[in-house]
Amino acid sequence: MFTDRSSTVGYWVAKMDVFLLLSRYEGLPNVLIEAQYMGVRVVTTPAGGASECLINGTTGYVLECCEQPCLDNLVMRAHELANRAGDRSLFALDGAGRRFLDENFSIPQMLKSFVSCTASTCASEADQLQSQAA
């Protein structure tokens, strides 16, 4: 499905059976996380951190390469996931997909990771300052 620019992206994603991201370059593609939080399975190239955003074979698939992904494999994976689109249990509150997303990408988890990282960095810097002062 191709739409023009839209301010109602969530509406369109909710209509999808499978979300495809065929980027060559990415950072951490939030769109993959967002699609899964909306209950949509994903197929992506391994660009950037894409492979970290899903459970390969369960909530989606990571294709073999970014530059020239095999279209037969893409279609096969998308078709397989589309056939499972009606099964929403994976992304239900107690589903494996939802648990994966919450454990890795929820706001509380990101805040916990940030505080932990910041605290350990600050502690390390404080230790360095103390040893330099001694």
Side-chain angles (χ1 to χ4, degrees):
M1 166 186 331
F2 292 98
T3 64
D4 202 354
R5 290 181 180 221
S6 175
S7 60
T8 57
V9 175
Y11 169 83
W12 293 109
V13 173
K15 299 269 183 211
M16 296 178 185
D17 292 328
V18 178
F19 185 94
L20 305 176
L21 181 66
L22 303 177
S23 298
R24 288 185 180 169
Y25 305 99
E26 285 288 340
L28 181 73
N30 289 334
V31 68
L32 295 177
I33 299 164
E34 293 163 349
Q36 292 173 92
Y37 261 119
M38 295 180 71
V40 178
R41 291 163 172 85
V42 299
V43 177
T44 183
T45 60
S51 62
E52 299 171 35
C53 298
L54 58 102
I55 304 170
N56 199 30
T58 302
T59 64
Y61 286 104
V62 179
L63 299 172
E64 64 285 345
C65 73
C66 298
E67 295 300 319
Q68 292 183 333
C70 173
L71 295 182
D72 289 338
N73 192 27
L74 166 66
V75 170
M76 180 181 67
R77 297 301 191 189
H79 180 72
E80 178 188 332
L81 293 177
N83 284 335
R84 293 192 270 159
D87 178 9
R88 298 293 190 178
S89 63
L90 181 63
F91 295 109
L93 289 177
D94 61 342
R98 180 61 181 257
R99 280 193 309 274
F100 168 79
L101 294 168
D102 287 345
E103 289 169 4
N104 292 283
F105 303 108
S106 67
I107 291 174
Q109 181 58 38
M110 288 189 288
L111 288 172
K112 180 179 172 184
S113 296
F114 174 77
V115 168
S116 174
C117 180
T118 303
S120 66
T121 300
C122 289
S124 175
E125 289 180 9
D127 290 343
Q128 287 177 356
L129 289 173
Q130 282 181 338
S131 63
Q132 287 175 358

